[in-house]
Amino acid sequence: MGPIGDALDEYFARSGIKKRIDQSQIVNEWTELVGAKVSSVCSPQAVDPSGTLWVRVKSAAWMQELQMMSPAIIHELARRGRRIKRIRWVASSGDTVKEPRRRYFRPNIQ
């Protein structure tokens, strides 16, 4: 990386933005981080500023199972450099787990 990239990395680290960027990558890397079995029944929605990962789960039964696995999942995420404080599992209505909604910034150009 060049001088600008190094300066940005340093700024992000000092300001705390790097931590939030690393946390948000959980959503994009979910299957790789937790495996195909777990990711087939749940979908990460967001990581909030408090460090809570919100995950939508296929059913209440799976939600209970995953709640018991939370400490191991948090530990594995941390081992891979994705630190979070807690996971909140939310049962989804219906049989399918929807992909997280993505919000995009759309400038008001006239």
Side-chain angles (χ1 to χ4, degrees), residues 15 30 39 63 72 96 98:
S15 67
W30 184 245
S39 70
M63 186 173 73
T96 59
K98 296 178 182 173

Side-chain angles (χ1 to χ4, degrees), residues 50-61:
S50 74
T52 300
L53 172 62
W54 293 85
V55 182
R56 187 169 302 281
V57 184
K58 193 174 193 176
S59 68

Side-chain angles (χ1 to χ4, degrees), residues 105-110:
F105 172 73
R106 294 178 192 235
N108 187 6
I109 301 174
Q110 297 180 6

